[in-house]
Each structure stands twice: as C-alpha cells, then as structure tokens.
Amino acid sequence: PLRLVSLRELIDGSPGERTERTEAALGLARAAVASPASKRRAMGLSPHGVHTVSDLLLRELAPLAAGVPVATHWAETPEETRWMLEGGGPFGGWLGPSPRTSGVERLRRAGMLDGALLVHGNCPAPGELESLAGRGVTVVHCPGSHRFFSRPRFALSDLRSAGVAVALGTDSAASNADLDMRREMRLARETLSVSGAEAWRMATEEGARFAPWTHVTGRLGVGDAGDLVRLRPAGGVAGGRDAGRLLDLLTLEEPAVEGVWVAGERIEG
C-alpha cells in the first residue's frame, strides 16, 4: 500500500561501442517506461552511474526518460572522477575508454541532466557544481554509506552555495549498516552540523522534489498528499508546541513509528 517510485537500474560498463549489454539495458528501459503509472506506483530509470553507462546508452535513454524520474550515481569516489576526466586508475581495467569529460557534462550532452537525482556527489570535478545550477537537480547524500566507507566530510555548504538541493538517502544494504531514514537524519545531524529543521527538510521536502506526483511535496498542507508517519520520541514531547525542540527530538532519537498513512488511509499501526 505504500507510494512507490521504482527505478529500473541500467548498466553496460561504458563500452566504446554498442554491445549486447547495451541492447539488453535498452530493452529493460523500454519495458519499464511502458508500465502505466497509477496513484501509488510509478516507474523511472536509473542509469547506474555516470562512469558505468556509455554515451551511446545515455543518448538512447534520453527520449525514453522524458517525463519519468531519473537517478544515477555521480562523483562518489576520487577514482571515479579521475577515470571520467583522464582514464586510468583502478577503474581503467574494467571499464571502456574514458569519455575524458566530467560526469555532469556527460549527462548534459546526452540530455539526461535536467531534473535528475544525483546520488553521492562526494568528489565533483572542478566546475561541476556550477554546471548544476538552474538544472532542477537534487543531490542525494547518504550519511550511513558515507560512514560505512569512512569518506571525508561531505561538502554540503559547497552544494548549497551553488544553489543545488540536497536530500538524504540510504544507498544500498551493501554499503550501509541499515536502511532507515531516521538513522540517516541522526547521522546527518552528527556529521554535517545541520539543525533538526534542516535534517527534517532534507529527509522530506528535498526528496519529494523527485516524486512524479505534484501533490507529494514532503509537507502537510492544503492540497498536499495525506502521506504521513506518526513518530513518538522516547521521552515524549516536552515543550509542547516548540517546533525546534520537536524537530531536534525527531531527528536525533530515531523515534518509534506508531502509525503510517498513505493518501489519508491508515496502513500500519
């Protein structure tokens, strides 16, 4: 009963020419976008990463991706960014020829950048952040995955200075100790020095930018979707209607879930 956007992941290893993997990925993409959307289900596309998907595949995905959500991994490691710009390094042995350009430029040339969800963004190449401005892009920071790999501090302020929205995510179970957005908010508070209100907004409104339903906004207001979770901090809510205090509790304590509603319908608790 949850509202769900399911992204078909696509990968061909970034070869220099069309391969069977390229054709197979295109077949999967065509099948995904042919699935009709509903009030609670929508399909999208996820070229795995700017370094693991070829220019050819990206170009042919562009018309299929028109009007559907698109997400891709971008600038997760310095090794990835080095291979994109120069080739060589540890990725040179298993990927095709380097495009000799940045990941953002590779997406832009293919017509796949505007409105995309870019996951990680830890190691952007020079000039990439400026190229994201005005593109409607959301970068997804995954605090738990960041900790799992002991990455350097995430440059949140640089992205914000460039006018780029930043949301919170989990990445996968292969690179995180848990897949729990309550934990991601707590880790964001601990590692990014953001307030409770900022962490809450990154976990709600900023992520909702990606939703294909206009009434799914990450907020609760007139005309917004009736999707909500009821959370109870361990020590209750001292301070009554103090919103700042409440958001501190909700983003630091990983509070218990007492109920879930989707489209105004109670589905759990």
Side-chain angles (χ1 to χ4, degrees):
L2 294 175
R3 202 184 299 272
L4 176 69
V5 181
S6 181
L7 304 176
R8 171 65 74 183
E9 191 167 68
L10 310 160
I11 186 170
D12 67 353
S14 201
E17 57 186 18
R18 186 184 297 267
T19 67
E20 291 183 1
R21 294 178 71 182
T22 306
E23 294 296 342
L26 286 169
L28 291 171
R30 294 186 187 105
V33 300
S35 302
S38 68
K39 293 180 179 180
R40 298 195 188 186
R41 291 288 183 275
M43 291 294 294
L45 300 177
S46 182
H48 169 263
V50 293
H51 60 304
T52 56
V53 179
S54 65
D55 290 325
L56 173 64
L57 179 54
L58 284 173
R59 285 196 302 270
E60 297 205 19
L61 286 176
L64 297 175
V68 303
V70 173
T72 189
H73 292 80
W74 163 66
E76 182 177 4
T77 66
E79 293 81 8
E80 172 197 324
T81 301
R82 174 188 171 189
W83 179 84
M84 288 293 302
L85 297 176
E86 305 170 0
F91 288 177
W94 59 276
L95 293 176
S98 166
R100 306 284 175 168
T101 191
S102 71
V104 165
E105 179 62 12
R106 191 176 214 185
L107 292 171
R108 188 198 68 79
R109 289 177 183 177
M112 294 282 286
L113 179 60
D114 290 356
L117 201 69
L118 303 182
V119 184
H120 297 304
N122 300 328
C123 307
E128 280 196 290
L129 297 187
E130 293 77 6
S131 298
L132 294 179
R135 293 281 186 171
V137 166
T138 299
V139 169
V140 181
H141 174 53
C142 306
S145 178
H146 216 74
R147 172 169 290 190
F148 186 91
F149 289 113
S150 300
R151 308 280 192 215
R153 184 179 174 89
F154 181 69
L156 175 64
S157 60
D158 291 347
L159 284 156
R160 287 181 168 173
S161 295
V164 179
V166 180
L168 294 181
T170 64
D171 208 9
S172 77
S175 61
N176 203 335
D178 202 354
L179 303 181
D180 189 329
M181 287 295 290
R182 296 171 300 174
R183 179 174 180 266
E184 300 300 328
M185 287 191 290
R186 176 177 63 78
L187 291 175
R189 294 290 310 275
E190 295 175 359
T191 60
L192 301 179
S193 302
V194 295
S195 67
E198 289 176 295
W200 186 263
R201 186 167 57 251
M202 291 168 74
T204 56
E205 293 182 48
E206 301 296 12
R209 293 170 180 266
F210 189 65
W213 304 282
T214 57
H215 62 306
V216 175
T217 64
R219 301 184 300 271
L220 291 176
V222 176
D224 294 329
D227 301 346
L228 62 147
V229 179
R230 185 166 72 192
L231 303 170
R232 180 175 295 277
V237 184
R241 296 179 179 273
D242 183 338
R245 172 61 178 159
L246 176 59
L247 288 173
D248 278 340
L249 293 172
L250 292 176
T251 55
L252 285 174
E253 289 192 0
E254 299 183 36
V257 175
E258 291 198 336
V260 178
W261 289 257
V262 176
E265 175 188 353
R266 188 165 187 165
I267 62 171
E268 183 177 321

